[in-house]
Amino acid sequence: MENYTSDNATWISGEAGGRKWKVTDMTDTLLTTVIPMKRLNGFHDENFDSNQQIAKDSGGFALLKDPTLAEELDVESLIQRHIEFGVKDNDMRMTLDFPIPRCLPFDKNEVVKRQFMTALWWEEMEKSLPGTIPIFHGRDREEVIEHREMYNMDDRLFAFGSNLAQSTYTQMDEMGRERKKPKKTLVQREKLWEVITDVSKELREWNQPWFLLGAGGMKASQLAWIHGASFVDGTSWRMSAMHHQLMLPEIGRYAYIGYKRNNTEKENIKNYLMYLWNEVEDWPFHKDKSNLTLYEVLKAMTNGTGVATGLRAQHNIWALDRDAAFATSFAGDPEGYARHLLEINGHDGRFRKLVKKAIVSVKDASIQQNLLNYTVVA
């Protein structure tokens, strides 16, 4: 299993963002959107190593937020951007897609229109960029099946949109200067997982590896592994860092590490952080790497500066990759993995309910091998 770290291409290249560290130094699985940039030619060779696995999104998520953008799309220009960016054998190139909102009033004709446009865009991209990954959308299992039938394709790796973004305010909305909540209709995360749970039953029957888009968060990725996904991606590593959170998936907790809210002195969290600092040699802030005490490491992570946010982000990327590797050890034993999650999440009743529903739905399914959580850099 792999959790792809998602990030903005301009930040990777150093054109924007002001970071003092490189996300490409923290993980070998990244997802970025192929967007117009000043220096796009040769981007892949200049910014990624040959051993890194890069998933390239074509920008469909923007259409979920602003459907009017579809009217101005030029697929040929998009294909050219992919070529300029760099087309490599181990790429995962996603088709341009038109997401469909879930759990909200939505016209069926509009659903079919968006599905058809996505399938048509994939066909155009596949001609110039063989191996382009199809993306399926729908509000329920029946609509996802209908969408698959629109594609003229053989069995292959595919992606399914989680739409989990409908349950949270976007990073910029929440972290904007005025810090005002936008007037949006949010969908309960449990309702979105009900759809994913039902659709996953169908996806597993196709016997192909699949990518659950937008499910790279700490808890979301763990549910995705139970449902049979091999790949996920997300920006939650960055968003959690901005909110002064350290992801601790191994113990099912978040460490809050700010001046106003700080739980790093709680026994279970303190002991776990001490364990990382003292015993886990590949932790970015292990005692032999940082030459700092744990107190000094946490102090450096605590303030509101960009440097501190970067330190928290580096930990979160590492933690999600480690968690994907741990989940892979349960390949063939989803019930065992679910029992582990239930054991470490005794404090989180809502998540435990989702885990129980997931394991009931999979029954004979198995956790995939070589799981990846792609760090999204968009």
Side-chain angles (χ1 to χ4, degrees):
M1 291 182 276
E2 298 186 14
N3 192 331
Y4 277 55
T5 300
S6 180
D7 204 3
N8 193 301
T10 60
W11 293 349
I12 294 175
S13 67
E15 286 191 17
R19 289 184 187 154
K20 305 299 181 183
W21 58 283
K22 292 183 177 181
V23 68
T24 51
D25 291 337
M26 298 304 303
T27 181
D28 286 334
T29 52
L30 299 102
L31 182 146
T32 190
T33 300
V34 181
I35 60 175
M37 292 174 59
K38 296 177 182 177
R39 296 187 297 274
L40 189 59
N41 283 325
F43 185 94
H44 195 295
D45 289 330
E46 292 175 7
N47 293 282
F48 304 121
D49 294 333
S50 59
N51 65 322
Q52 290 179 316
Q53 299 181 62
I54 313 302
K56 296 169 181 175
D57 177 62
S58 295
F61 181 71
L63 301 183
L64 180 62
K65 296 187 291 184
D66 184 2
T68 63
L69 295 176
E71 301 170 5
E72 305 172 1
L73 284 173
D74 180 356
V75 178
E76 288 300 322
S77 295
L78 173 63
I79 292 171
Q80 186 58 37
R81 287 205 300 273
H82 272 280
I83 295 172
E84 292 175 359
F85 192 106
V87 177
K88 302 296 179 179
D89 290 340
N90 62 344
D91 282 352
M92 298 180 72
R93 289 181 299 279
M94 305 288 177
T95 187
L96 178 62
D97 62 310
F98 205 155
I100 297 167
R102 295 194 188 119
C103 307
L104 296 172
F106 205 68
D107 183 68
K108 176 65 175 180
N109 290 332
E110 181 66 18
V111 169
V112 174
K113 172 186 173 182
R114 293 188 180 196
Q115 290 178 326
F116 180 77
M117 290 177 70
T118 298
L120 182 62
W121 288 335
W122 171 82
E123 189 170 325
E124 291 185 52
M125 291 184 65
E126 174 72 4
K127 291 177 183 177
S128 300
L129 301 169
T132 295
I133 297 173
I135 300 176
F136 303 131
H137 289 291
R139 297 171 296 177
D140 52 39
R141 192 197 303 198
E142 182 179 349
E143 287 188 351
V144 172
I145 293 173
E146 291 170 349
H147 194 195
R148 188 194 189 204
E149 292 173 350
M150 294 181 186
Y151 284 83
N152 180 23
M153 52 170 275
D154 52 7
D155 291 338
R156 62 166 71 196
L157 168 68
F158 63 89
F160 173 60
S162 74
N163 282 38
L164 290 173
Q166 286 185 251
S167 67
T168 57
Y169 297 108
T170 65
Q171 177 179 320
M172 295 311 297
D173 284 335
E174 194 165 2
M175 301 300 293
R177 293 181 181 179
E178 298 182 1
R179 297 183 181 275
K180 292 181 180 179
K181 298 289 186 182
K183 294 181 180 179
K184 289 184 177 179
T185 301
L186 295 186
V187 177
Q188 286 186 344
R189 182 157 294 218
E190 288 79 2
K191 291 186 177 296
L192 294 170
W193 275 110
E194 285 179 8
V195 176
I196 295 170
T197 298
D198 186 49
V199 172
S200 295
K201 296 177 184 177
E202 178 69 25
L203 303 185
R204 289 191 297 271
E205 292 181 3
W206 298 349
N207 293 318
Q208 297 295 322
W210 55 284
F211 205 125
L212 185 56
L213 296 170
M218 187 174 88
K219 300 294 182 77
S221 60
Q222 293 171 334
L223 292 171
W225 307 144
I226 296 177
H227 284 300
S230 294
F231 314 101
V232 296
D233 70 282
T235 58
S236 58
W237 62 274
R238 183 174 66 238
M239 297 173 69
S240 290
M242 293 173 70
H243 288 285
H244 291 260
Q245 295 175 351
L246 298 181
M247 296 175 167
L248 309 179
E250 199 166 352
I251 61 172
R253 297 277 183 168
Y254 288 92
Y256 296 93
I257 187 164
Y259 288 128
K260 294 183 178 180
R261 185 180 185 185
N262 194 311
N263 65 355
T264 57
E265 287 300 315
K266 290 186 65 173
E267 184 176 2
N268 59 342
I269 291 176
K270 182 178 181 179
N271 289 344
Y272 180 70
L273 292 172
M274 179 60 71
Y275 158 71
L276 295 181
W277 178 82
N278 194 46
E279 298 185 35
V280 182
E281 295 182 357
D282 66 337
W283 189 46
F285 311 103
H286 181 267
K287 61 183 180 181
D288 293 339
K289 289 184 178 181
S290 64
N291 292 317
L292 298 172
T293 66
L294 179 60
Y295 172 81
E296 291 170 329
V297 170
L298 297 180
K299 183 178 180 181
M301 292 181 174
T302 300
N303 65 45
T305 66
V307 172
T309 300
L311 296 177
R312 297 189 295 268
Q314 291 173 59
H315 162 85
N316 289 341
I317 293 172
W318 173 86
L320 290 174
D321 281 350
R322 176 180 171 89
D323 192 49
F326 174 75
T328 301
S329 68
F330 284 89
D333 184 20
E335 291 188 37
Y337 184 59
R339 285 194 297 270
H340 163 75
L341 294 179
L342 292 173
E343 180 179 349
I344 65 173
N345 286 281
H347 60 289
D348 190 342
R350 293 178 68 183
F351 181 67
R352 286 171 59 86
K353 288 182 180 179
L354 290 174
V355 171
K356 291 176 181 179
K357 289 180 179 179
I359 197 60
V360 168
S361 75
V362 299
K363 292 186 178 179
D364 297 328
S366 64
I367 290 178
Q368 306 301 304
Q369 296 185 8
N370 301 319
L371 304 174
L372 294 177
N373 191 332
Y374 276 55
T375 300
V376 178
V377 283

